[in-house]
Amino acid sequence: MLELRGIRKNFGKLAALNDVNLEFKENELIAIIGPNGAGKTTLINVITGVLKEDSGTIRYLHKEINVLPAYLRARLGINRTFQIPKPFSNLTVIENVRIGALFSNDKKGQTMEEEVERVLSLLRLKSLADKPAKELNTEQKKLVDLGRALVSRPKFLFMDEMGAGLAEEEILTLSNLIRGIQKDEGVSVVYVGHVMKLVKQLQCPIAVFSEGSPIFQGSYDEVTSNPAIIKLYLGERYAQS
Amino acid sequence: MLFTITHRMGDLLLFSIVLGLITGVYYAMMALGLNLVFGVMKIANLAHGDFIMLSAYTAFWLYFFFGVSPIFSLIIVIPVFFVLGIVVYFAMIRQLIKKEESEMTSIVAFFGLSILIESSASLAFGNSYRTLPVNFLKFTHIPFLGFSLSTVILLMSVISIIVIVFLFYWLNKTKYGLNVRALMANEESARAYGLNIGMIYAITIGIGIAITAIAGVFSPFLLGAIYPSEGGIITIIAFSIIIIGALGNPAATVIGGLVYGLVINITNIYAPGWSYAVTFVILVVIILVRPNGLVGGRLREI
Amino acid sequence: MGLWEVDCVRFSKQLRTSIILIALLLVFYLVAPYLYPNRSFFETLLVLTILSLSFNIVYGFTGYMPFGYAAFFAIGAYGFGIGIVRHFGLVSSFLLGGLASLALGLIFVPMLRLRGAYFAIANLAGFEGAYYIISNQSLTFITRGPYGISVSSVYNPNITYAVSLLLLVIVIVVTYIVRTSNFGLALRAIKDDPLVASISGINVGLYRGVAWLSSAIFAGLAGGAYGWYISFFYPSTVFSINYSLFAILFTIFGGPGTIIGPIIGTTTLYSLYQAVGLSYPLYSTLAFGALVVVLIIVLPEGLKKIFRKYLKWEML
């Protein structure tokens, strides 16, 4: 279980995270939504150790992990993807995935190479294995980014908005992939974004973020039928449709 | 001689503080061009000191062959080095800034340029030490705080102040200067605004190298004799000054120059022979502790 | 597969060619001095190849460009020299050179927090600082200050040559491990994006530090061997920015991040430097300065790219 208590993070006078209390359970799929600037990406940055919180505690495996640097949190099983995918551009696809496997959290008796192969075929990247990541298109880069995170067999995987700019059927494929990964890999996936079509397809509980803290939790239907949330966080346009 | 003891052992510390400030403005001017270029196009000109050396030689030969006083050699040096700066832009920078890792690549390229200039100079001018006579002014020394102060140093100080004031007038009051500042503050939006970036780059490095050349003409009086390989150490001193201030912030360079002038003059009293070592150790410490410089934080603002 | 384990399968195609090339190189070093009796040339070539390969461990695999790299070389020569002057014995003095360089590397470790221009300038200032401290008159009792150090009591060019050759083999093996192991892969990932590397579980500071310090040690040992060979040197002899220039140019020309690249780069360019130097001694540095400018603009990946493009051979 990953537990956040009283997390605060300010950028100058702006409170990016304002007293966040959240619990993420093992083996679940949850989505976090909210308008731009609600603090969603900051939340991921603080949990993964990219940014240091101003105050509050993060507990994981019954230990406070605030003091741990990012690389140790990764080794304990907390991993992530990026909104703008960040594969290692001069490494090939297979090398990118291999990097993720170097400090794998839980090998389950597989060798590193077997694990890399498995993830490559799962994400249908095998044909691209020897291509440098900088020659890929954005969708492929997103998959490489995901592959690097996934191969480490994390306990918690934070995905930062992967649905931006996708067509209808691509969104369906992606949501199926995410749900499949969550089930088959035994990982908790926290999907963070604001593409509502994708969040709907995930068919999972949703937490709504606003001005640096979660203000509502519920199913997709509950969220989309709550007039206050519709008005405040999804805009007038959604309220009408 | 920068000063001689005239009647009694005056207050040496006070004198060196004042001397530190007087020479500090010259050090500031010496580093100003380097910081202007870095601030605008993120090019770390490792050949900076070599341009100082080249202009010092220009002034020297003008004096040697034609008896031109250093003051008047500026009339030739300024336009020549302005054009030289523009040549460097078209020959190197225009190719470099297109590269993937332009900052790193350009550092290596300018390191090569530095070696190129240095070895050309040593071929053309030989390796002997040259200097300019200090007696081109009517009075060579005036009494000051119980010491005598070289009038050349005062002249350099005055010229440096004029140059600095001119640069800041240009940056703040002219159309081109304002464009340069816009570019320093935010390249993306300057580009979106439709500024002719290439043109601004060319003019900026022209002006940067011209200012550097003015400092070069007077360098024999403060930085020591002219010789082909003097550039390396001058480059590092200039970088020390702009980093002490703030990299990419021309205004902070003035503070960097003054601090450097004080450090050099004061260590000269208390630990002669260690002034360079002390300077470089201070520089490394400042870079590590406050990478944005003493003025830091407001990086890239004027 | 462990961190340090080398991967022979993945690199099998290039491996055979590379082993042949390296074997040829060693034969060349063993035979050549008999064919062309210019011992000084081969010894310097050997030392510079070691220096380029050490420099490559930093630049080629981590992307840091230490312009003051010559400081490691110089400190190594001084460590060796001081050891000899103090009668530490040959082996201890030689190791002292590497140790002195390691110590300087440790002092410079905080610089690795800096990037780009800041790192380059801090490193240059560090180089100058080390020079002004070593050459300082008031430290004459340790370093002999500006008067230089003589190690002529242990002068023996044959042994120096053999030791240098051994050192070359060691640095090739180390580079081979870095190039083909997962440690090297991790270094390349850090070079691309340190942030993503750290959230992938890589201890960025430690890995960079290991590469930096091992590079420093080898540069120091190379400096020691050089000081041993030339037998007497002033501070300015070894604290010469030329050694940075050589290492940078040879590595970039050959192909940074490879084993073969810096070797080919050093062998061809230094031979050229000598050939030009014999007939036009003044023009060789000039030509090298120009070559750096042209090379970095036109061919920043060096021969590596040419090999890939025209020979379809990914340089090992």
Side-chain angles (χ1 to χ4, degrees), chain C residues 285-299:
Chain C
T285 311
L286 177 83
F288 268 32
L291 196 56
V292 171
V293 178
V294 174
L295 209 56
I296 197 73
I297 292 176
V298 181
L299 201 69

PDB file of all heavy atoms in Angstrom, chain C residues 285-299:
ATOM      1  N   THR C 285      50.328  22.417 -34.737  1.00  0.00           N
ATOM      2  CA  THR C 285      49.293  22.820 -33.782  1.00  0.00           C
ATOM      3  C   THR C 285      48.210  23.634 -34.486  1.00  0.00           C
ATOM      4  O   THR C 285      47.016  23.461 -34.239  1.00  0.00           O
ATOM      5  CB  THR C 285      49.897  23.649 -32.640  1.00  0.00           C
ATOM      6  OG1 THR C 285      51.036  22.963 -32.138  1.00  0.00           O
ATOM      7  CG2 THR C 285      48.914  23.830 -31.526  1.00  0.00           C
ATOM      8  N   LEU C 286      48.659  24.502 -35.392  1.00  0.00           N
ATOM      9  CA  LEU C 286      47.718  25.301 -36.176  1.00  0.00           C
ATOM     10  C   LEU C 286      46.738  24.397 -36.903  1.00  0.00           C
ATOM     11  O   LEU C 286      45.517  24.572 -36.844  1.00  0.00           O
ATOM     12  CB  LEU C 286      48.501  26.138 -37.194  1.00  0.00           C
ATOM     13  CG  LEU C 286      47.678  26.985 -38.149  1.00  0.00           C
ATOM     14  CD1 LEU C 286      47.282  28.284 -37.488  1.00  0.00           C
ATOM     15  CD2 LEU C 286      48.446  27.267 -39.424  1.00  0.00           C
ATOM     16  N   ALA C 287      47.271  23.376 -37.567  1.00  0.00           N
ATOM     17  CA  ALA C 287      46.429  22.454 -38.325  1.00  0.00           C
ATOM     18  C   ALA C 287      45.467  21.730 -37.391  1.00  0.00           C
ATOM     19  O   ALA C 287      44.302  21.516 -37.735  1.00  0.00           O
ATOM     20  CB  ALA C 287      47.301  21.448 -39.060  1.00  0.00           C
ATOM     21  N   PHE C 288      45.943  21.391 -36.172  1.00  0.00           N
ATOM     22  CA  PHE C 288      45.075  20.681 -35.230  1.00  0.00           C
ATOM     23  C   PHE C 288      43.932  21.554 -34.737  1.00  0.00           C
ATOM     24  O   PHE C 288      42.804  21.094 -34.585  1.00  0.00           O
ATOM     25  CB  PHE C 288      45.895  20.165 -34.045  1.00  0.00           C
ATOM     26  CG  PHE C 288      46.377  18.775 -34.271  1.00  0.00           C
ATOM     27  CD1 PHE C 288      46.676  18.344 -35.551  1.00  0.00           C
ATOM     28  CD2 PHE C 288      46.493  17.892 -33.220  1.00  0.00           C
ATOM     29  CE1 PHE C 288      47.105  17.060 -35.781  1.00  0.00           C
ATOM     30  CE2 PHE C 288      46.911  16.588 -33.435  1.00  0.00           C
ATOM     31  CZ  PHE C 288      47.230  16.181 -34.712  1.00  0.00           C
ATOM     32  N   GLY C 289      44.241  22.815 -34.469  1.00  0.00           N
ATOM     33  CA  GLY C 289      43.185  23.744 -34.060  1.00  0.00           C
ATOM     34  C   GLY C 289      42.116  23.823 -35.130  1.00  0.00           C
ATOM     35  O   GLY C 289      40.917  23.714 -34.864  1.00  0.00           O
ATOM     36  N   ALA C 290      42.561  23.990 -36.390  1.00  0.00           N
ATOM     37  CA  ALA C 290      41.628  24.079 -37.511  1.00  0.00           C
ATOM     38  C   ALA C 290      40.831  22.790 -37.643  1.00  0.00           C
ATOM     39  O   ALA C 290      39.627  22.805 -37.885  1.00  0.00           O
ATOM     40  CB  ALA C 290      42.389  24.377 -38.793  1.00  0.00           C
ATOM     41  N   LEU C 291      41.516  21.656 -37.458  1.00  0.00           N
ATOM     42  CA  LEU C 291      40.862  20.353 -37.590  1.00  0.00           C
ATOM     43  C   LEU C 291      39.741  20.187 -36.558  1.00  0.00           C
ATOM     44  O   LEU C 291      38.666  19.658 -36.873  1.00  0.00           O
ATOM     45  CB  LEU C 291      41.906  19.249 -37.419  1.00  0.00           C
ATOM     46  CG  LEU C 291      41.505  17.862 -37.895  1.00  0.00           C
ATOM     47  CD1 LEU C 291      41.081  17.909 -39.353  1.00  0.00           C
ATOM     48  CD2 LEU C 291      42.658  16.890 -37.721  1.00  0.00           C
ATOM     49  N   VAL C 292      39.993  20.647 -35.316  1.00  0.00           N
ATOM     50  CA  VAL C 292      38.950  20.559 -34.287  1.00  0.00           C
ATOM     51  C   VAL C 292      37.713  21.316 -34.740  1.00  0.00           C
ATOM     52  O   VAL C 292      36.586  20.806 -34.677  1.00  0.00           O
ATOM     53  CB  VAL C 292      39.449  21.130 -32.932  1.00  0.00           C
ATOM     54  CG1 VAL C 292      38.302  21.247 -31.946  1.00  0.00           C
ATOM     55  CG2 VAL C 292      40.525  20.245 -32.351  1.00  0.00           C
ATOM     56  N   VAL C 293      37.909  22.549 -35.227  1.00  0.00           N
ATOM     57  CA  VAL C 293      36.779  23.381 -35.643  1.00  0.00           C
ATOM     58  C   VAL C 293      35.986  22.689 -36.751  1.00  0.00           C
ATOM     59  O   VAL C 293      34.767  22.542 -36.682  1.00  0.00           O
ATOM     60  CB  VAL C 293      37.269  24.768 -36.130  1.00  0.00           C
ATOM     61  CG1 VAL C 293      36.088  25.602 -36.603  1.00  0.00           C
ATOM     62  CG2 VAL C 293      38.020  25.484 -35.022  1.00  0.00           C
ATOM     63  N   VAL C 294      36.705  22.241 -37.792  1.00  0.00           N
ATOM     64  CA  VAL C 294      36.038  21.634 -38.943  1.00  0.00           C
ATOM     65  C   VAL C 294      35.343  20.331 -38.543  1.00  0.00           C
ATOM     66  O   VAL C 294      34.183  20.090 -38.878  1.00  0.00           O
ATOM     67  CB  VAL C 294      37.061  21.380 -40.076  1.00  0.00           C
ATOM     68  CG1 VAL C 294      36.396  20.616 -41.220  1.00  0.00           C
ATOM     69  CG2 VAL C 294      37.623  22.700 -40.566  1.00  0.00           C
ATOM     70  N   LEU C 295      36.069  19.509 -37.781  1.00  0.00           N
ATOM     71  CA  LEU C 295      35.561  18.188 -37.403  1.00  0.00           C
ATOM     72  C   LEU C 295      34.262  18.285 -36.602  1.00  0.00           C
ATOM     73  O   LEU C 295      33.288  17.587 -36.884  1.00  0.00           O
ATOM     74  CB  LEU C 295      36.626  17.479 -36.562  1.00  0.00           C
ATOM     75  CG  LEU C 295      36.652  15.968 -36.627  1.00  0.00           C
ATOM     76  CD1 LEU C 295      36.810  15.514 -38.056  1.00  0.00           C
ATOM     77  CD2 LEU C 295      37.788  15.445 -35.769  1.00  0.00           C
ATOM     78  N   ILE C 296      34.257  19.183 -35.610  1.00  0.00           N
ATOM     79  CA  ILE C 296      33.089  19.250 -34.728  1.00  0.00           C
ATOM     80  C   ILE C 296      31.885  19.785 -35.492  1.00  0.00           C
ATOM     81  O   ILE C 296      30.741  19.457 -35.190  1.00  0.00           O
ATOM     82  CB  ILE C 296      33.378  20.091 -33.452  1.00  0.00           C
ATOM     83  CG1 ILE C 296      32.337  19.815 -32.375  1.00  0.00           C
ATOM     84  CG2 ILE C 296      33.424  21.560 -33.731  1.00  0.00           C
ATOM     85  CD1 ILE C 296      32.442  18.499 -31.699  1.00  0.00           C
ATOM     86  N   ILE C 297      32.128  20.603 -36.518  1.00  0.00           N
ATOM     87  CA  ILE C 297      31.006  21.136 -37.290  1.00  0.00           C
ATOM     88  C   ILE C 297      30.537  20.112 -38.321  1.00  0.00           C
ATOM     89  O   ILE C 297      29.345  19.868 -38.492  1.00  0.00           O
ATOM     90  CB  ILE C 297      31.400  22.467 -37.983  1.00  0.00           C
ATOM     91  CG1 ILE C 297      31.602  23.553 -36.916  1.00  0.00           C
ATOM     92  CG2 ILE C 297      30.320  22.900 -38.964  1.00  0.00           C
ATOM     93  CD1 ILE C 297      32.073  24.876 -37.452  1.00  0.00           C
ATOM     94  N   VAL C 298      31.482  19.462 -39.004  1.00  0.00           N
ATOM     95  CA  VAL C 298      31.122  18.592 -40.121  1.00  0.00           C
ATOM     96  C   VAL C 298      30.862  17.149 -39.675  1.00  0.00           C
ATOM     97  O   VAL C 298      29.922  16.508 -40.146  1.00  0.00           O
ATOM     98  CB  VAL C 298      32.239  18.621 -41.189  1.00  0.00           C
ATOM     99  CG1 VAL C 298      31.853  17.747 -42.372  1.00  0.00           C
ATOM    100  CG2 VAL C 298      32.477  20.042 -41.647  1.00  0.00           C
ATOM    101  N   LEU C 299      31.698  16.644 -38.773  1.00  0.00           N
ATOM    102  CA  LEU C 299      31.639  15.212 -38.465  1.00  0.00           C
ATOM    103  C   LEU C 299      31.784  14.961 -36.953  1.00  0.00           C
ATOM    104  O   LEU C 299      32.779  14.383 -36.520  1.00  0.00           O
ATOM    105  CB  LEU C 299      32.767  14.516 -39.227  1.00  0.00           C
ATOM    106  CG  LEU C 299      32.636  13.010 -39.484  1.00  0.00           C
ATOM    107  CD1 LEU C 299      31.529  12.732 -40.458  1.00  0.00           C
ATOM    108  CD2 LEU C 299      33.950  12.455 -39.994  1.00  0.00           C
TER     109      LEU C 299
END
